[in-house]
Amino acid sequence: MQQFDLLIIGGGPAGLTAAIYGARARLKTAILEKGAVGGQAFTTREIVNFPGFASTSGPALMKTLAEHAKGFGAQIITEEVTSVELCGELKQIQTRKGRTYQARAVILAPGAQPRLLNIPGEKVFRGSGVSYCATCDAEFYQDQDVVVVGNGDAAVEEALYITKFARKVTIIVIHDEGIVDCNRASAEIAFQHPQIEFVWNSILTEIKGELEAEAVVIKNLKTGELTEMNANGVFIYVGMIPGTGFLNQQVELDECGYILTQPSMETSVSGVFAAGDATAKVLRQVVTAANDGAIAAVTAERYLEEEHSFKQEILQAATPVLVAFWKPNNPESISLLTYLEALTSVKEKRVKLVKVDISRKKRLAEQYGVEEVPTVLVMNQGKLLRKITGEVDESCFCLADGIIAG
């Protein structure tokens, strides 16, 4: 059973970036990835909006990220995670190969996959005419004919974006004429747009071409008639599926199954962080995934440092401990520190003082229900004996001395 400081589930841009930051911070770091390293980005033909890379391919960029992570010492393990136990100090990760990995901190970066139509030609031309992201690929279809499948907010709003580049955008809608699932404002703009046409009561049944997509076959659901239409690009928006099924609701998810996080990428479980497309967010791009991964890894590093310090300085202390919570902008709490330091020196090291900046170590404050400063915890052998909020006097020392005398 291998044990890591930081274990990252998912080897896409978020997971790889997290591994770079984690390994560089000298954390024993590993990625568990079930398939090709790089996630969805690995299947992207060309990437032109990642800072510093005017034009590169998905595989090339992901290979660069992977080599960067491995260069700092991160391990990349090709195994599929099947279940996790995320509570407790050591997280347990099980894989399909029957192995169990342990980690002091976990970053969830399993990504999200577009829901497929599962029609002939869809997988063949993915990255060569079939796309699931207009922001990524629309500019490749300058003055060409494009088909959009779907009628929700994403489909219609992305179709409007594509009109900045394409000559004509045809939206395939399963409903009767005039009925769409997107918000009314976007629908009205799309209905009146000179470059957009709608095909109603229809579905896509096939994508055709040689090296790249060249045409689509459309089926009318009322008449059964099949129509072939020229199309250089096919953008499919029938939903996304976050890869969070293995979590078994152990972290808080939204109604669509995406992981809810704080701005620091913390999840609802202590020591568990999340990054990338599997999180609830506005924009899912390689650059935003990398951003998430960097934040998650730095937050995880601070969490591990705080846990180590807490265990060493407080839980395993040989003497009673006074844990003083303070804030740099709170004069009362700063005065308290001066007072406690003076009293501690008088006690000839029989009582230990640990100072905690509540603005930096919020998790520790939350753990003990500390909401205001100054607050002092009197602890011995890891147990909380008393919590004093507001005015603090020598009674806390008397309690600590009593432990020693008794």
Side-chain angles (χ1 to χ4, degrees):
M1 186 181 295
Q2 293 189 62
Q3 183 175 319
F4 296 90
D5 296 321
L6 178 62
L7 192 58
I8 302 160
I9 300 176
L16 290 169
T17 305
I20 291 170
Y21 276 74
R24 186 171 182 268
R26 303 293 178 87
L27 300 177
K28 186 179 179 183
T29 302
I31 293 173
L32 286 170
E33 167 57 53
K34 65 180 180 180
V37 174
Q40 274 199 85
F42 185 80
T43 67
T44 304
R45 176 179 56 183
E46 187 175 4
I47 295 175
V48 296
N49 56 359
F50 190 81
F53 292 79
S55 178
T56 185
S57 70
L61 181 58
M62 294 305 102
K63 182 180 179 182
T64 300
L65 288 178
E67 292 302 321
H68 195 169
K70 288 190 287 186
F72 282 123
Q75 296 182 46
I76 299 178
I77 304 169
T78 306
E79 290 191 40
E80 180 180 0
V81 174
T82 54
S83 62
V84 294
E85 293 291 338
L86 298 177
C87 60
E89 183 179 353
L90 275 180
K91 321 301 181 185
Q92 310 286 331
I93 314 297
Q94 290 80 38
T95 70
R96 193 167 296 283
K97 291 184 179 180
R99 297 192 179 100
T100 299
Y101 296 89
Q102 293 182 329
R104 295 166 56 215
V106 170
I107 295 177
L108 304 171
Q113 295 293 325
R115 184 172 280 110
L116 304 181
L117 296 175
N118 289 315
I119 60 174
E122 181 179 10
K123 292 182 179 178
V124 173
F125 296 112
R126 183 168 181 172
S128 297
V130 174
S131 176
Y132 303 87
C133 175
T135 311
C136 308
D137 299 329
E139 64 184 278
F140 301 128
Y141 299 94
Q142 190 77 41
D143 297 324
Q144 298 184 50
D145 295 335
V146 167
V147 165
V148 170
V149 181
N151 65 102
D153 285 341
V156 175
E157 289 171 7
E158 294 286 76
L160 289 167
Y161 177 79
I162 295 169
T163 60
K164 297 179 180 180
F165 308 94
R167 175 176 56 202
K168 177 184 175 184
V169 178
T170 302
I171 303 179
I172 312 298
V173 183
I174 197 171
H175 304 309
D176 289 338
E177 184 172 350
I179 299 175
V180 290
D181 296 329
C182 73
N183 66 84
R184 203 64 205 169
S186 294
E188 291 298 336
I189 295 172
F191 289 155
Q192 298 172 24
H193 201 290
Q195 292 167 254
I196 293 179
E197 290 186 7
F198 287 83
V199 176
W200 306 99
N201 300 305
S202 299
I203 59 173
L204 213 61
T205 61
E206 186 178 359
I207 301 168
K208 293 183 173 183
E210 292 186 7
L211 297 178
E212 297 190 350
E214 298 172 358
V216 296
V217 178
I218 301 169
K219 180 180 179 179
N220 186 290
L221 295 175
K222 291 192 173 181
T223 65
E225 180 183 2
L226 296 176
T227 304
E228 186 168 314
M229 174 189 294
N230 292 333
N232 306 108
V234 181
F235 288 81
I236 299 172
Y237 298 100
V238 292
M240 296 288 291
I241 304 173
T244 54
F246 69 93
L247 294 174
N248 197 26
Q249 301 290 325
Q250 290 188 52
V251 299
E252 189 176 358
L253 309 174
D254 70 7
E255 64 277 7
C256 297
Y258 291 96
I259 304 167
L260 296 173
T261 64
Q262 300 295 325
S264 59
M265 309 317 295
E266 294 174 274
T267 71
S268 58
V269 177
S270 179
V272 180
F273 312 86
D277 286 3
T279 64
K281 59 192 301 185
V282 175
L283 181 62
R284 292 181 170 87
Q285 293 273 279
V286 174
V287 68
T288 61
N291 171 77
D292 292 349
I295 294 172
V298 170
T299 307
E301 178 196 357
R302 290 174 180 170
Y303 161 81
L304 291 172
E305 182 183 353
E306 186 176 330
E307 283 289 295
H308 177 72
S309 298
F310 177 67
K311 182 183 292 185
Q312 201 169 48
E313 294 182 0
I314 300 174
L315 298 185
Q316 297 175 350
T319 63
V321 181
L322 299 180
V323 185
F325 289 86
W326 68 289
K327 278 185 181 179
N329 61 350
N330 185 287
E332 186 180 0
S333 67
I334 294 173
S335 298
L336 172 66
L337 291 184
T338 303
Y339 171 71
L340 292 178
E341 285 171 345
L343 284 178
T344 304
S345 63
V346 173
K347 298 300 176 180
E348 299 176 348
K349 299 184 179 180
R350 292 184 300 169
V351 179
K352 181 179 181 180
L353 175 64
V354 175
K355 296 171 282 188
V356 177
D357 181 349
I358 195 173
S359 62
R360 295 187 60 191
K361 297 187 177 181
K362 296 180 181 179
R363 194 189 61 79
L364 184 58
E366 290 172 359
Q367 183 176 345
Y368 287 96
V370 177
E371 298 179 352
E372 58 182 290
V373 294
T375 293
V376 174
L377 307 180
V378 183
M379 301 190 69
N380 185 50
Q381 297 179 351
K383 295 181 180 179
L384 176 63
L385 304 179
R386 186 177 176 188
K387 180 166 72 172
I388 307 168
T389 299
E391 187 174 344
V392 179
D393 55 30
E394 288 194 60
S395 63
C396 58
F397 286 95
C398 293
L399 178 57
D401 278 345
I403 295 168
I404 298 170

